[in-house]
Amino acid sequence: MTGTAIKRIAVLTSGGDAQGMNAAVRAVIRTGLNRGLEVYAIYEGFQGVVEGGERIKKMTWDSVGGILPKGGTIIGTARSDEFRTREGRKRAALNLLQAGINSLVVIGGDGSLTGGYIFHQEWADLLDELVAEGQIQPEVRDQYPVLYLVGLTGSIDNDMIGTDMTIGADSALHRITEAVDAISSTAASHQRTFVVKVMGRNCGYLALMSALATGADWVMIPECPPDVDNWEQVMVERLKAGRSAGRRDSIVIIAEGARDRNGNPIGSTYVSEVLEKELGEEVRVTVLGHVQRGGSPSAFDRNLGTRYGFAAVETLLQYGPDSVPVMIGMRGNRIVTTPLKECVDLTRSMETLLANREYDKAMDLRGSSFKEAFQTLKTMLRALPHSPQPGHRPLRLAILHAGAPSPGMNTAVRAAVRIGLDKGHTMLGVQNGFPGLIAGDIREMEWMSVNGWAPMGGSELGTNRKIPSGSDYYGIARAIEDFKIDGLLIIGGWTGYQAAYNLHQARGSFPSFNIPIVCLPATINNNLPGSELSVGADTALNSIVEAVDKIKDSAVATRRVFVVEVMGRYCGYLALMSGLATGAERVYINEEGVTLRDLVDNVESLIRDFRHGKRLGLIIRSEAANPVYNTPFMVALFEQEGGELFDVRQSILGHLQQGGNPSPFDRILATRLATRCIDYLISKAEKGSSESAFIGLQGREMLFHNLEDFPRMVDLVHQRPRTQWWMDLRPIAQILSRPGPWIEEMEKEFQI
Ligand code: ADP
C-alpha cells in the first residue's frame, strides 16, 4: 500500500563511483517497475539533474540487464559544482518537475547525500521562486509539494555512520587484499619492505581491515594515531624485531588520512624514507589508486546494492508528506533506515573530531567492532608474544579442524595461536582432524609457525570428515591426558559440531573429556546453528559468482540456458545468494523443494521469454535441492521442451568452491571469531569448567551458544539450522529476476 501517490521515481549515482552501484540501480529500477511505477535514471549525478533533458531517461526492465558484474555505474556519476549553488538546484527542481518527478533515490557518499538533503529542505522554497518567476504554474507546485528522498551509501571508504557497510567497500577490500598478497610474495623473495597506501579519506576502515586480512606488519589509520611523538622509532624497532623473529618481508599499510597525534599528515614517502634509512634496505612504495574502485563488484557488494535498492523503493512507497528522508543502511545482516540528516551530521562530525585531535571519541564513533579489530590487529602484528606475568599458569589449548576444507581455516588457526601465545599459553596443533587427535599427531605451535597463514587457502593442519565413535573415544581420552590438553578449539563444519556434542555428552564415561570445547563455524555450506555466516561461505560465494559470470560470457552468440549446480548440501545459502548476485531467473533449494509444477512453470516462462528475444537463461540449483529432479534431469527436460528456441547446458561447479585464498571478509571473520574462542577457552579452563559452546555471528554480535543446545537449534535430518535469516531474501530474488505479471498485459497489447 503506498503512503503517497508516487507514480514516478528517479535514481542517480553521485560522487566517487563504487562497485555495486549498478546492482543498486538495477534493483531500484526493477523493483519500481514491479511495483507499477515509472522509473527514470538521471545520468551523470546531480549534474544531470541540473542539465535535465536527455540526461533524464525512462528506464525499462531490459535497460539494466546484464549489469550486475560491471564495476562503476552505468548511469554515470559526476561532481557538480552547479548543484552546490542555489541557482543550480533551482534549475534541477525545474527539470524534475518538467519530467513529473518528485521522488528521488540518491546513491553516493556523504557529500552526495548532503546535497540531496539540502535539495529536499529547499524544495518548497525553490518551487515558490519558480512560481514567482513564472517558470511553473502554481498547480504544479501544489501537485509536487515535497521532494521524497531516499539515500543509499555508495562509497569505497566505508566512512558513513548509520550503516555497517557502504556499497563498494567490500570490493575495494578485495582489490587491496589481492594487491597486498601479490606484493607480499615478491617482498618475501627479496627481503624487502613495502609501504602500501590505501584510500579511505578520514576513515581507516580499508587500511585496518586490509592489514588484518593480509597479515601486514604495521598500520596507520586516522582515528588512532601512534600515541608517542617518536612513532618512527617505535615502528622501526617493531619491524626489526619482526625480521629477527624470522619474517622475510615487512608490509606497512597507511591510510590516506593517516596522521600523527599532533594532527600532522603522515605520507607514504616520508615513511619509506624513514624505513630505508633505519632498516638499511630497499623500501618500495605502492600507492593503490583507482584500482581500488575498479573491477567487478564482489558478491557481497552486488547483494548489498540489490538489497539497498529494493529497500529504497519500498521506503519511498511508505513515505507520507511529513516523512523525513532516510538513509538505507545495514546493521548485522539487517536492513535499517535512519534519518538521513543524522547519518550525514554524524559522518561529518568525524572531520571535526579528527581536527580537534579527539581520537578516543573518533574511535567510539567508529563503533565497537572497529575498535576490537584494531585491538586484535595490535596483537597479530607483534613480532613475539608478551612475556607472561609472574605466577601465571600456562594452559595447553589444542586446535583441530573437522569437516571439509573451508577457506579461512588457516587464518583462524593463525589468530588462535597468536592470541593464545600472547596470553601466555601453550598452543597445540592437531594434524588431520580427529584421526590425528586419536593418533596423538599433535605439535606445539610457535609464534612464527603461523607466519604467512592469513591469506592461505586450504588447511595447513589438515582436516578430516571423520566423526569419532566407539573405540575412538579411548584414543581421544589418551591424547587429552598425554598432551595434558586443557581446552579444545574445533574449527570446522557440521562434522566438528556433531563430534564436539558427542564428546561433551560422553563426559560421564570419559573423565578426561571434562574440558571446555568450543566450535568455530568454518564451512562453505553456511549450515551451522547460531551463526548467520560461517568462515569460507563468502569465499565460496565469490568463486561461484566469478565462475557464473564467465559461464554467462561464454554464450554471447547463442540462445542458451545454463543450469548451474552449486554446493551447500541441504542448505540453499550459496544457491540463493549466488542467484541474487548473478541475476539468475530461478533458484532451486532444498528448503523449498522442487515440484513438477515448478519445473513446468519454469519451462513455460523460459519459452515465453525466449520467444520475446531473450538470449540467455540462468538457473542455479543447490546440489541437494531434489534427489529425483536432479541437474541432468532438469537439463534434459529443458532441452527437450526448448526445442529450437534454446539449447541447455549444465555446469556442476564442484570443488573450485572449496578452494582458493579466503576472501577479506572470511579472513576478518575468522580472526575475530578465533580471538573470542580462545578467550572463551581460557576463561573456562582457568575455572576448571567443562562448559562448552559454539560461537557465531548474529547481527553485529559474536555470541556463544551452549553446546547442549546444538540438537535443539538444528534440523538434524537436513543438517542445517532451524531458522535461516537469508530465506527472507527470496522475494527480492524473485522480483528482480523476471518481469512481473505486467508482461502478460504487454503480450496482450502486442498480441504476442
Ligand atoms: P561523495 O558523495 O562521494 O562524498 P562529493 O563530496 O564530491 O562526493 O559530492 C558529490 C556531489 O554531491 C558534489 O559534486 C555536489 O554536486 C553534491 N554535493 C556535495 N555536497 C554538497 C552540498 N553541501 N550542497 C549541494 N550539493 C552538494
Side-chain angles (χ1 to χ4, degrees):
M1 187 51 216
T2 60
T4 54
I6 290 176
K7 295 206 176 55
R8 224 170 250 192
I9 63 172
V11 56
L12 63 85
T13 50
S14 166
D17 62 328
Q19 307 97 321
M21 281 183 163
N22 281 329
V25 169
R26 171 179 177 271
V28 170
I29 290 168
R30 291 195 169 177
T31 309
L33 291 172
N34 184 277
R35 297 282 186 251
L37 306 174
E38 286 180 33
V39 190
Y40 288 75
I42 303 177
Y43 285 68
E44 311 307 331
F46 286 122
Q47 188 56 29
V49 198
V50 175
E51 291 173 14
E54 282 292 290
R55 295 278 191 224
I56 306 178
K57 286 200 186 118
K58 191 165 175 187
M59 303 305 269
T60 67
W61 190 266
D62 291 332
S63 317
V64 285
I67 66 170
L68 283 171
K70 294 195 174 141
T73 156
I74 61 151
I75 59 173
T77 175
R79 305 210 194 253
S80 167
D81 287 336
E82 278 179 278
F83 192 75
R84 287 181 183 274
T85 66
R86 195 181 160 90
E87 235 1 78
R89 292 192 292 274
K90 196 156 73 182
R91 264 175 60 205
L94 182 61
N95 287 328
L96 286 185
L97 292 173
Q98 281 169 348
I101 297 167
N102 66 331
S103 299
L104 204 54
V105 179
V106 174
I107 308 172
D110 63 331
S112 306
L113 301 191
T114 305
Y117 186 73
I118 292 171
F119 195 31
H120 163 87
Q121 291 297 90
E122 288 176 350
W123 182 262
D125 290 346
L126 293 174
L127 266 53
D128 284 343
E129 278 174 40
L130 287 169
V131 171
E133 290 165 12
Q135 304 226 50
I136 57 168
Q137 297 300 318
E139 301 81 62
V140 175
R141 175 190 57 192
D142 300 342
Q143 198 186 342
Y144 302 104
V146 186
L147 176 70
Y148 298 107
L149 172 73
V150 174
L152 305 186
T153 56
S155 159
I156 65 162
D157 303 331
N158 207 26
D159 54 353
M160 186 63 83
I161 312 289
T163 184
D164 291 350
M165 292 299 279
T166 55
I167 299 169
D170 183 65
S171 302
L173 208 48
H174 271 261
R175 297 298 99 79
I176 297 170
T177 307
E178 285 152 14
V180 176
D181 286 353
I183 288 169
S184 300
S185 57
T186 156
S189 326
H190 298 284
Q191 296 229 22
R192 254 189 209 148
T193 297
F194 271 86
V195 175
V196 183
K197 182 165 175 177
V198 304
M199 285 184 169
R201 297 198 286 187
N202 277 327
C203 181
Y205 177 86
L206 291 176
L208 169 59
M209 293 304 169
S210 61
L212 203 59
T214 57
D217 304 85
W218 197 253
V219 68
M220 277 182 272
I221 59 170
E223 299 89 341
C224 192
D227 53 7
V228 288
D229 282 333
N230 63 340
W231 60 269
E232 294 92 335
Q233 203 180 329
V234 177
M235 173 180 69
V236 167
E237 277 165 16
R238 282 299 187 81
L239 295 185
K240 277 188 180 160
R243 287 298 179 80
S244 336
R247 285 188 192 168
R248 288 187 52 81
D249 62 339
S250 309
I251 306 277
V252 174
I253 297 185
I254 303 186
E256 184 176 20
R259 62 198 76 209
D260 66 18
R261 65 177 181 162
N262 302 313
N264 305 309
I266 298 178
S268 49
T269 316
Y270 176 66
V271 173
S272 83
E273 281 164 7
V274 169
L275 293 177
E276 199 142 274
K277 185 159 153 264
E278 299 295 330
L279 298 177
E281 68 177 34
E282 242 181 309
V283 177
R284 295 288 163 92
V285 178
T286 300
V287 177
L288 290 177
H290 279 73
V291 287
Q292 294 165 91
R293 293 189 189 285
S296 188
S298 67
F300 179 87
D301 274 329
R302 296 183 194 194
N303 289 346
L304 186 73
T306 296
R307 292 176 70 188
Y308 280 0
F310 176 82
V313 176
E314 298 293 306
T315 304
L316 271 181
L317 291 176
Q318 298 302 324
Y319 272 165
D322 301 324
S323 300
V324 293
V326 298
M327 187 189 89
I328 311 281
M330 196 179 67
R331 280 184 203 280
N333 267 317
R334 305 283 175 278
I335 294 291
V336 290
T337 56
T338 318
L340 184 65
K341 179 148 178 12
E342 195 180 311
C343 301
V344 168
D345 286 349
L346 279 171
T347 304
R348 291 270 148 121
S349 73
M350 181 59 83
E351 220 166 298
T352 319
L353 291 178
L354 294 180
N356 296 341
R357 291 178 276 152
E358 295 180 83
Y359 299 120
D360 287 344
K361 285 192 187 155
M363 285 299 269
D364 285 345
L365 193 54
R366 285 280 174 246
S368 56
S369 46
F370 189 90
K371 279 206 262 186
E372 193 177 304
F374 193 60
Q375 214 41 49
T376 305
L377 180 72
K378 281 194 192 159
T379 306
M380 288 298 133
L381 48 75
R382 290 184 65 82
L384 285 171
H386 282 100
S387 310
Q389 301 289 328
H392 165 83
R393 181 177 81 90
L395 297 164
R396 294 171 63 80
L397 305 175
I399 306 170
L400 74 74
H401 293 309
S406 190
M409 281 181 156
N410 289 324
T411 324
V413 175
R414 168 183 179 266
V417 166
R418 290 203 167 166
I419 295 290
L421 291 174
D422 193 52
K423 301 207 161 160
H425 303 292
T426 302
M427 302 304 293
L428 303 167
V430 180
Q431 300 286 144
N432 192 32
F434 280 103
L437 183 63
I438 295 162
D441 194 356
I442 299 168
R443 64 183 155 117
E444 214 175 298
M445 308 287 284
E446 304 296 338
W447 192 264
M448 289 305 289
S449 65
V450 290
N451 198 42
W453 283 27
M456 277 161 58
S459 133
E460 289 297 296
L461 285 180
T463 182
N464 194 290
R465 285 191 179 80
K466 182 182 170 71
I467 299 184
S469 61
S471 63
D472 295 338
Y473 284 16
Y474 295 99
I476 295 176
R478 200 168 45 243
I480 293 176
E481 283 161 21
D482 289 354
F483 287 87
K484 300 190 173 53
I485 295 172
D486 295 311
L488 181 62
L489 166 61
I490 300 177
I491 300 168
W494 191 270
T495 310
Y497 280 55
Q498 183 70 65
Y501 179 76
N502 294 351
L503 291 182
H504 194 62
Q505 294 304 309
R507 278 169 305 164
S509 322
F510 295 88
S512 60
F513 291 1
N514 274 298
I515 55 169
I517 302 175
V518 67
C519 298
L520 186 158
T523 167
I524 66 161
N525 298 336
N526 201 30
N527 63 341
L528 294 169
S531 197
E532 292 175 359
L533 292 167
S534 56
V535 173
D538 182 61
T539 310
L541 190 56
N542 278 294
S543 301
I544 295 169
V545 167
E546 274 170 38
V548 172
D549 284 351
K550 287 183 187 148
I551 289 168
K552 285 176 87 172
D553 276 352
S554 74
V556 251
T558 38
R559 286 154 74 89
R560 183 163 286 173
V561 173
F562 287 103
V563 180
V564 177
E565 181 182 303
V566 302
M567 285 183 170
R569 297 183 49 106
Y570 291 103
C571 172
Y573 175 81
L574 289 176
L576 184 77
M577 297 306 263
S578 62
L580 203 57
T582 55
E585 46 235 274
R586 190 78 172 78
V587 174
Y588 289 101
I589 58 177
N590 180 276
E591 288 86 342
E592 290 181 326
V594 187
T595 64
L596 189 57
R597 185 73 243 156
D598 293 330
L599 296 173
V600 171
D601 280 351
N602 201 165
V603 164
E604 284 175 352
S605 60
L606 282 172
I607 289 174
R608 191 172 50 198
D609 293 351
F610 274 86
R611 279 210 183 113
H612 295 169
K614 186 181 181 69
R615 304 199 58 83
L616 182 70
L618 173 65
I619 290 158
I620 295 192
R621 189 182 175 285
S622 185
E623 58 185 348
N626 185 298
V628 177
Y629 303 141
N630 56 18
T631 304
F633 175 89
M634 282 170 56
V635 170
L637 177 76
F638 294 156
E639 177 75 42
Q640 177 66 24
E641 296 295 318
E644 297 289 300
L645 268 176
F646 54 84
D647 56 27
V648 187
R649 294 287 184 274
Q650 78 172 29
S651 180
I652 297 176
L653 294 184
H655 285 84
L656 69 85
Q657 296 164 85
Q658 288 175 347
N661 290 348
S663 68
F665 178 85
D666 277 333
R667 299 184 200 184
I668 294 161
L669 182 63
T671 306
R672 293 175 64 202
L673 292 175
T675 305
R676 288 287 184 95
C677 284
I678 292 300
D679 286 344
Y680 178 91
L681 285 182
I682 295 171
S683 76
K684 298 295 168 198
E686 278 177 346
K687 281 190 275 188
S689 159
S690 63
E691 214 176 298
S692 294
F694 46 93
I695 194 176
L697 186 69
Q698 276 172 275
R700 312 170 98 185
E701 308 290 328
M702 286 178 290
L703 300 177
F704 289 97
H705 285 273
N706 197 312
L707 196 51
E708 313 262 352
D709 291 334
F710 173 67
R712 276 194 286 281
M713 291 173 69
V714 296
D715 168 351
L716 277 169
V717 176
H718 295 103
Q719 301 196 341
R720 66 184 178 225
R722 281 190 196 281
T723 52
Q724 305 189 96
W725 64 272
W726 50 266
M727 292 284 279
D728 295 347
L729 304 183
R730 287 172 303 158
I732 306 183
Q734 259 158 27
I735 284 175
L736 298 187
S737 58
R738 287 202 68 247
W742 50 272
I743 195 164
E744 272 138 42
E745 277 161 36
M746 191 179 79
E747 281 171 11
K748 266 188 240 139
E749 193 180 322
F750 294 101
Q751 298 180 337
I752 298 169

